[in-house]
Amino acid sequence: MTMIRLPTADPQGTVLGAAPDLAESACAYRATGGYDGATAPDELLAHLAASGLRGRGGAGFPAAVKLRSVRDPGGAPVVVANGEEGEPGSVKDRWLLRARPHLVLDGLARTAAITGAVRGFVYLSDPVAAGSVRRALLEHPPPLPVEVVETDHTYVAGEETAVVRRIDGGPALPTAKPPRPFEQGVGGAPTLVSNVETLARIALTAARPDLGRAIALTTLVTLSGDRTTPLLTEVPYGIPLRALAAELGIPDATGALMGGLFGGLVGTDALDLPLEPGALTAAGTALGCGAIRFLSPGSCPVATAADAAAHLAAASARQCGVCVSGTGAVGNALRALAAGTAGPDTADSLHRWSQGLPGRGACGLLDASAGIAGSLLRAFPRLARSHLAAPCPLCAAAPPDGRRLTVTVPQVAVGTTSPAPASPTTPISPTTPVSPTALPLPALKGTP
């Protein structure tokens, strides 16, 4: 079961809050300043622009710019809290809807006030989260009609055009762009599709505008790896990836699979990079949804790449022929590479696909598959080609299985009150089954 670890003993301005293992009631949320109307919509928008808050759904688009793009055309916009979490290594959105639904609904109501929206939706596939959100709506009815829309859990169901299509009664499949949802979304209206963590940070900024910059420069991350207990925590931008690996219990990590599946593989040298979207993008990888799977010395990056490609091939929506054939080809090639049965031209084929496939599908799934292939060859070129000469014992011990990358959601108990903030404790092993604790984090590097 995934553990939760508080970054500090002070929960002020954090998404994790004081009791991340307990579902927060409306009463407890209001006691922390939630649902307070002191910050007016225009004032909040100015705070968001000044703080530089970016979306946490993966693309990292500036939140204030996105809000204005829906508000400025006028009309009757729609706002959507997107909690559909397709990346197998990420749990933050489902945990957030289970544990702090009021924080998300508060953020949704505030974006409605900024944009002038007249309808709202909470979009998800997790039945436990759906129940939590419905209870929260009964506890504290929002200032606009809000509907919970459930969908089947798939990799592409959270893509913004798939969200709109499903809410409008169709399948949760991406559509061609343009138009984008901010131009023409639910029911043809300008639509803000916002990740639930983004909405949570908007609500936090409304309650504590003095902490706006810190709120914008902190993010939830899901950390996982071989033979370690996954960890959900909240960290500031700028912390080195290597420090996060040590926090997970893999201080000697040899690389990582970044951004869920979208950031690709990185090698040991990249672990000195700061956890900061711009720095990671410049280095050829991505933070994405904040899911990072670290590689231990006893694991093989080729096997991890094969796992990722297998997951993506199985997740294809099968509505684009190039995606079906492309993800299948990459998956088969990496499976053969891991098994030691690849042909001599396999590495060259992977390189060619990594260059030619991106941008050819309706969504980012094909791009992610191509990125896995290309990143393996960039980060571990000699290792990848050594698999052409002889079978790898590490790969043989763990045949490709896309399900291996899946991380479970932390347990959240349903309660009516939240306990006092946790006190500082001595660092513990991430394999120790305990309640959430506050742990000191290493000094920051490269904080913007």
Side-chain angles (χ1 to χ4, degrees):
M1 178 62 67
T2 302
M3 282 187 57
I4 304 176
R5 192 168 297 174
L6 300 179
T8 68
D10 182 4
Q12 290 294 317
T14 68
V15 171
L16 284 179
D21 59 343
L22 184 66
E24 187 175 45
S25 68
C27 179
Y29 179 61
R30 284 191 292 266
T32 65
Y35 294 127
D36 189 323
T39 306
D42 287 345
E43 182 185 3
L44 176 56
L45 183 59
H47 285 307
L48 296 174
S51 72
L53 178 67
R54 291 180 175 268
R56 296 300 197 271
F61 198 74
V65 174
K66 194 170 183 178
L67 286 163
R68 290 193 186 101
S69 70
V70 174
R71 179 199 65 180
D72 291 350
V78 174
V79 288
V80 180
N82 185 5
E84 172 48 24
E85 199 164 32
E87 292 286 2
S90 180
V91 298
K92 68 181 182 71
D93 296 338
R94 284 167 290 170
W95 167 81
L96 187 51
L97 290 170
R98 292 182 183 193
R100 304 203 69 187
H102 289 286
L103 185 62
V104 175
L105 292 172
D106 192 2
L108 186 67
R110 293 181 187 277
T111 60
I114 290 172
T115 61
V118 296
R119 296 173 66 198
F121 295 89
V122 179
Y123 176 83
L124 42 70
S125 66
D126 177 20
V128 178
S132 178
V133 172
R134 289 190 172 103
R135 284 192 298 271
L137 289 169
L138 291 175
E139 277 190 295
H140 187 97
L144 77 164
V146 173
E147 180 182 345
V148 178
V149 176
E150 298 187 61
T151 189
D152 292 332
H153 177 68
T154 67
Y155 188 83
V156 301
E159 195 270 345
E160 62 175 3
T161 63
V163 173
V164 169
R165 193 174 180 184
R166 175 67 185 90
I167 292 174
D168 276 341
L173 297 173
T175 59
K177 298 170 279 290
R180 294 277 185 179
F182 77 88
E183 299 167 313
Q184 184 179 329
V186 176
T191 300
L192 177 80
V193 180
S194 188
N195 174 260
V196 292
E197 186 188 347
T198 311
L199 295 174
R201 295 195 180 278
I202 289 173
L204 287 174
T205 303
R208 291 296 305 271
D210 58 311
L211 297 178
R213 186 66 173 161
I215 292 167
L217 297 181
T218 310
T219 196
L220 292 175
V221 290
T222 310
L223 309 177
S224 61
D226 296 325
R227 297 178 295 279
T228 61
T229 300
L231 178 66
L232 174 65
T233 189
E234 190 167 3
V235 298
Y237 285 159
I239 187 170
L241 297 180
R242 195 178 303 279
L244 294 180
E247 190 75 6
L248 180 65
I250 312 179
D252 52 353
T254 58
L257 178 60
M258 297 292 299
L261 304 181
F262 198 80
L265 288 161
V266 297
T268 306
D269 292 346
L271 298 183
D272 292 321
L273 289 169
L275 185 87
E276 194 280 315
L280 294 174
T281 299
T285 183
L287 178 59
C289 63
I292 304 173
R293 184 176 183 84
F294 288 104
L295 307 178
S296 65
S299 62
C300 181
V302 173
T304 301
D307 286 346
H311 183 94
L312 290 167
S316 172
R318 310 194 74 78
Q319 65 175 359
C320 301
V322 67
C323 179
V324 175
S325 60
T327 58
V330 172
N332 290 336
L334 289 173
R335 183 181 298 109
L337 199 64
T341 60
D345 60 344
T346 298
D348 293 335
S349 295
L350 287 170
H351 175 73
R352 185 174 67 254
W353 294 329
S354 73
Q355 299 294 307
L357 291 178
R360 297 181 61 187
C363 67
L365 188 144
L366 182 59
D367 293 25
S369 183
I372 292 294
S375 65
L376 173 66
L377 298 178
R378 288 192 304 273
F380 304 97
R382 293 182 180 177
L383 180 64
R385 292 190 179 274
S386 72
H387 281 62
L388 298 173
C392 169
L394 294 177
C395 290
D401 183 354
R403 295 170 297 180
R404 190 159 38 231
L405 303 177
T406 301
V407 174
T408 58
V409 183
Q411 290 182 341
V412 176
V414 177
T416 56
T417 59
S418 296
S423 299
T425 64
T426 302
I428 55 174
S429 165
T431 59
T432 306
V434 297
S435 297
T437 52
L439 295 178
L441 290 173
L444 307 185
K445 290 184 180 179
T447 303

